[in-house]
Amino acid sequence: MDTLAPEPLAEDGSGGMRGRGAVPVRWEVAEDERFSRRVAHGVANATAELGHSVHVEVDTLRPDREYFYRFRAGGEISPVGRTRTAPTAAANLDRLAFAFVSCQNYPAGYYTAHRHLADEDLRAVVHLGDYIYEGGATGNIGRAHAPAHEVHSLADYRIRHAQYRTDPDLQRSHAAFPWIVTWDDHEVENNYADEISQHDGVAPGDFLVRRAAAYQAYYEHLPLRRSSVPKGPDMRIYRRLRFGALAEFNVLDGRQYRSDQVDRNSPEAQDPDRSMLGAEQERWLLDGLGSSTARWNILAQQTVMARADRDPGEGLRLPMDNWNGYEPARQRLFDGVVERGVENMVVITGDAHCSMAADLKQDFADPESPTVGAEFLGTSISSGGDGADTDRRGEQWLAANPHMKFYNQRRGYVRCTVDRDSYRADYRAVPYVTRRGAPVSTLAGFVVENGRPGVQEV
């Protein structure tokens, strides 16, 4: 994926390409960084309709191989990126290392975690949402949002994405690995649900105009296949990716099809028709899990799935924008996993700006209930500022939820190492993001053993 933008922050959202028609972009793929062993090349047209972006799909590359790529347009040449193709579905892959990230609010902090991430030995990075933020925040470190107001139009969203992509640490992370991406809410608007805005008085039709603009800019700036080209306000982003016989990723969309949020005490909260994923995606997920032959079944998704009670007493104090506000849908998923005999289910999650590891129980009200999987919640890249080792929410979570094993509120990413015997998650964090140069360290590590659901500290 490449975008032509000689003036990335041009006020009209054109990236400095205003009035330009189709521009031929030459692309090259090679086995070496100097491109002496070129294996594929061609020309793609960058058009104004897609913000002068190109998304090249090369189907002649060998499986499980490292490659390098670059683009040329006019007299300009892009930096070199590195990627690695996936092994065949039946390949006996011994090891898979990847990391997952989320929530990179530009004015809130520097992307130092991305700089460290780029130095890891990984096959891929999974971004779980909040790639951009839609507000007009200025922050206090000199990285104010452009444009300076909340974004609504296609031009606005293009400028915002372009601004985020000017960050050198984010560029370095993109260039180092193939990325697997999905969105959460801030790519459009905070806490939206399907066609419903967070703000009262916004007609669904008006909100869908905004969503269409946001989805198009997202597609233009992220590495997605042509199968995800948006059609107005609709864009298919949930998909399944296989890494040999070792791991299968179910990349989910928890925003575009969900029911609206409701009050915790509303009778609607327990309505069995309420959905987080929508009926079609829910069926697709359970059917795929039931037929999977992979050793590890990974759900890459947006919001906290484990019960996250904040009342250490007898009551329940639950958030309503994540799976805790969609308990019937979560129960259908867990019951479906048990009915289908799905093993080694691991859920990776973003959104909450903190780290947490938890057992997923078929019945959270009963601590002795069967454990159906494990959840690893990853913290933010920068959202929320520097963070701390713990906070009030962490104290409440660990006191009220016996299935939770760990909590931390520093910024960073989660490095995962998978083999046939175990799935290991290492929580990597930086001590600060409001100034540059922070070191990275491992706060904690957890493992899930093959055939033994639940997390264990290592």
Side-chain angles (χ1 to χ4, degrees):
M1 190 281 297
D2 187 44
T3 301
L4 304 182
E7 300 174 34
L9 304 186
E11 292 184 0
D12 62 0
S14 69
M17 297 291 289
R18 185 177 179 84
R20 297 290 300 272
V23 177
V25 176
R26 299 181 182 276
W27 57 268
E28 301 172 278
V29 180
E31 293 178 334
D32 66 308
E33 201 165 0
R34 294 188 175 186
F35 287 79
S36 62
R37 300 194 305 275
R38 194 172 68 170
V39 297
H41 62 96
V43 177
N45 284 324
T47 66
E49 289 74 20
L50 284 178
H52 286 100
S53 66
V54 294
H55 294 67
V56 177
E57 297 181 28
V58 186
D59 57 10
T60 57
L61 303 180
R62 300 170 67 187
D64 200 14
R65 294 291 188 277
E66 181 181 71
Y67 291 101
F68 298 87
Y69 61 91
R70 65 186 179 187
F71 300 89
R72 298 175 184 265
E76 303 295 328
I77 185 168
S78 74
V80 174
R82 183 182 72 91
T83 191
R84 188 179 183 97
T85 54
T88 62
N92 290 317
L93 189 65
D94 293 329
R95 179 179 180 273
L96 172 66
F98 68 96
F100 65 92
V101 298
S102 65
C103 305
Q104 49 194 42
N105 193 328
Y106 189 84
Y110 295 107
Y111 294 167
T112 313
H114 272 302
R115 179 167 58 82
H116 291 297
L117 178 62
D119 291 330
E120 300 274 8
D121 181 14
L122 307 172
R123 283 179 175 257
V125 167
V126 184
H127 199 292
L128 297 175
D130 294 345
Y131 188 94
I132 65 165
Y133 280 69
E134 82 285 8
T138 59
N140 56 12
I141 62 171
R143 281 163 62 102
H145 266 147
H149 53 77
E150 184 166 338
V151 293
H152 287 85
S153 69
L154 177 57
D156 287 346
Y157 282 106
R158 283 173 168 169
I159 295 168
R160 186 61 55 84
H161 273 280
Q163 181 189 37
Y164 277 54
R165 292 299 288 270
T166 62
D167 184 275
D169 293 329
L170 180 58
Q171 290 178 8
R172 192 163 178 255
S173 184
H174 269 289
F177 314 108
W179 275 43
I180 300 166
V181 300
T182 188
W183 52 39
D184 192 20
D185 52 345
H186 288 289
E187 286 86 354
V188 182
E189 177 197 80
N190 182 49
N191 287 355
Y192 82 93
D194 192 359
E195 62 183 15
I196 302 169
S197 169
Q198 180 190 37
H199 303 294
D200 294 336
V202 178
D206 292 336
F207 179 73
L208 288 178
V209 171
R210 182 182 186 181
R211 195 177 90 175
Y215 283 7
Q216 179 166 334
Y218 183 87
Y219 175 80
E220 292 169 355
H221 288 84
L222 275 297
L224 290 161
R225 294 179 180 273
R226 286 187 293 269
S227 57
S228 290
V229 172
K231 299 176 181 178
D234 302 318
M235 181 172 160
R236 168 74 179 261
I237 198 171
Y238 67 87
R239 59 207 186 278
R240 191 167 286 122
L241 303 170
R242 185 74 176 254
F243 285 81
L246 186 60
E248 188 166 79
F249 286 80
N250 295 272
V251 183
L252 305 184
D253 178 352
R255 283 291 162 188
Q256 188 174 183
Y257 314 106
R258 65 157 65 188
S259 305
D260 194 15
Q261 298 91 340
V262 297
D263 184 84
R264 176 68 196 168
N265 297 317
S266 168
E268 293 181 71
Q270 299 303 318
D271 183 345
D273 291 331
R274 281 173 47 74
S275 178
M276 172 66 84
L277 304 176
E280 181 179 342
Q281 185 181 187
E282 191 174 302
R283 284 193 300 271
W284 168 88
L285 174 59
L286 284 172
D287 288 348
L289 289 172
S291 61
S292 173
T293 57
R295 175 61 60 97
W296 297 96
N297 294 290
I298 302 168
L299 275 59
Q301 59 96 49
Q302 294 78 11
T303 61
V304 173
M305 187 173 287
R307 176 178 279 185
D309 183 15
R310 293 190 63 173
D311 182 354
E314 296 297 320
L316 285 175
R317 181 184 166 201
L318 298 171
M320 298 303 288
D321 185 58
N322 60 34
W323 286 86
N324 287 269
Y326 297 79
E327 289 178 312
R330 183 177 63 192
Q331 197 62 54
R332 282 196 303 274
L333 173 59
F334 287 2
D335 290 347
V337 164
V338 172
E339 290 165 4
R340 289 162 176 79
V342 178
E343 294 188 345
N344 296 339
M345 184 179 77
V346 177
V347 177
I348 58 175
T349 301
D351 177 61
H353 308 172
C354 63
S355 296
M356 180 268 289
D359 294 342
L360 296 175
K361 311 295 287 186
Q362 188 175 10
D363 180 2
F364 285 109
D366 178 8
E368 302 303 317
S369 174
T371 299
V372 301
E375 180 173 20
F376 295 116
L377 166 64
T379 187
S380 63
I381 290 290
S382 64
S383 302
D386 289 336
D389 286 328
T390 192
D391 58 9
R392 181 62 174 157
R393 175 177 59 178
E395 295 169 355
Q396 293 168 338
W397 273 9
L398 293 177
N401 303 283
H403 49 278
M404 291 186 180
K405 312 300 182 183
F406 169 72
Y407 181 93
N408 188 275
Q409 206 230 351
R410 295 290 182 192
R411 311 297 164 223
Y413 55 92
V414 183
R415 182 183 62 203
C416 301
T417 308
V418 184
D419 59 30
R420 293 188 62 79
D421 296 324
S422 65
Y423 181 119
R424 175 167 179 152
D426 289 306
Y427 287 87
R428 305 274 284 162
V430 295
Y432 51 85
V433 295
T434 52
R435 61 188 192 277
R436 298 186 186 275
V440 68
S441 63
T442 300
L443 299 177
F446 292 85
V447 68
V448 181
E449 296 178 354
N450 172 43
R452 183 182 176 187
V455 300
Q456 303 172 60
E457 188 168 8
V458 293

